[in-house]
Amino acid sequence: MATVISNERLTDGVYQLRVAGDYGGEMGQFYMLRAWGAYPLLSRPLSIHQVHEDGIEFLYHVVGEGTELLAGLVPGAPLSLEGPFGRGFPQVDGKVALVGGGIGIAPLFYCAKQLPGCDIYLGFSREPFRAEAFRPFAAELTVNVGGLVLDSVDFSAYDHVFVCGPLSMLKAAQLKGFAAAEAGSRARVHLSLENRMACGIGACLVCSVSCRDGQRKACTDGPVFLSEEVVFHD
């Protein structure tokens, strides 16, 4: 069992959880967290937000019973962590853009620390959170509140674009990537999907993703996929 160091409320329904222990992982990977007994049945998958020498951090949004229980954790409370799981963002060369929407900024902070000098675009429907923490690692930081942050991103200016956010944003990023490719862009667009998960290790089909080569699993084949691999359904 791990131990909670801090569990700070950042804004309405958004928390930053820091857990003590020797934990690691790659950009875009996730852990399965659990702070309760038999109910709720499923653990909660949370992407790595930041890794420290003495622990690990997660950023999460309260959306149901599991995350409500996480929000109630106090320093010193026990917590079960399993992971890291999944295929995250690749280590890349060239010019990189990180594009996050809402709680989708969570895995991108770990990316920003490992890819200093990238351009970072963060979008929020209401009050921004953690945006200024990205600034030391960004060549340019763009923060959009209430609009469409993708409108600020010229995909053709980058070798790689990492995107994490709500489904509508991922669909729009895919279309924008396709349009840029047709115009001769070299950009590879990497999407981090926020599918619901159950086991985290590929033993079930809860997190199934439709891809051009068939059904794949977000927990083991992803959560990060190249944009052109994914088939979004209306």
Side-chain angles (χ1 to χ4, degrees):
M1 296 291 284
T3 302
V4 173
I5 297 175
S6 61
N7 192 25
E8 180 186 0
R9 180 183 177 276
L10 302 182
T11 187
D12 187 26
V14 177
Y15 289 77
Q16 184 175 351
L17 172 65
R18 184 165 180 172
V19 180
D22 183 15
Y23 297 101
E26 303 297 328
M27 300 182 295
Q29 287 189 304
F30 66 94
Y31 280 76
M32 299 296 287
L33 280 69
R34 190 177 190 88
W36 50 86
Y39 184 84
L41 177 63
L42 304 179
S43 300
R44 294 300 182 263
L46 295 181
S47 60
I48 299 170
H49 183 59
Q50 186 171 193
V51 173
H52 302 277
E53 290 185 0
D54 63 345
I56 190 169
E57 288 187 18
F58 304 94
L59 201 64
Y60 66 96
H61 184 206
V62 176
V63 293
E65 292 175 299
T67 44
E68 283 182 2
L69 291 170
L70 291 180
L73 293 174
V74 298
L79 176 69
S80 172
L81 261 66
E82 294 184 346
F85 296 127
R87 186 186 71 171
F89 292 107
Q91 291 286 345
V92 296
D93 296 316
K95 193 172 182 182
V96 180
L98 307 180
V99 187
I103 200 62
I105 75 169
L108 299 183
F109 186 71
Y110 195 33
C111 297
K113 294 189 72 174
Q114 296 194 42
L115 300 168
C118 56
D119 290 341
I120 301 175
Y121 303 84
L122 307 177
F124 304 90
S125 59
R126 294 184 295 276
E127 181 182 359
F129 51 88
R130 289 287 287 166
E132 285 304 311
F134 284 80
R135 192 173 296 280
F137 311 105
E140 292 190 20
L141 173 64
T142 300
V143 179
N144 183 297
V145 180
L148 300 175
V149 70
L150 279 171
D151 289 348
S152 301
V153 187
D154 178 5
F155 280 39
S156 65
Y158 299 98
D159 298 292
H160 297 273
V161 181
F162 292 1
V163 187
C164 186
L167 181 59
S168 58
M169 180 178 177
L170 298 180
K171 289 180 177 179
Q174 184 187 61
L175 293 175
K176 190 161 186 172
F178 287 164
E182 289 178 0
S185 171
R186 64 185 183 277
R188 306 300 302 277
V189 181
H190 309 261
L191 307 178
S192 180
L193 306 187
E194 298 181 334
N195 289 39
R196 183 175 178 83
M197 296 182 186
C199 69
I201 58 173
C204 69
L205 297 175
V206 170
C207 64
S208 182
V209 177
S210 295
C211 293
R212 299 196 183 279
D213 61 354
Q215 295 299 116
R216 298 168 71 181
K217 299 174 182 179
C219 65
T220 53
D221 300 313
V224 177
F225 295 86
L226 282 169
S227 170
E228 61 265 26
E229 295 178 325
V230 181
V231 177
F232 289 118
H233 300 287
D234 295 333

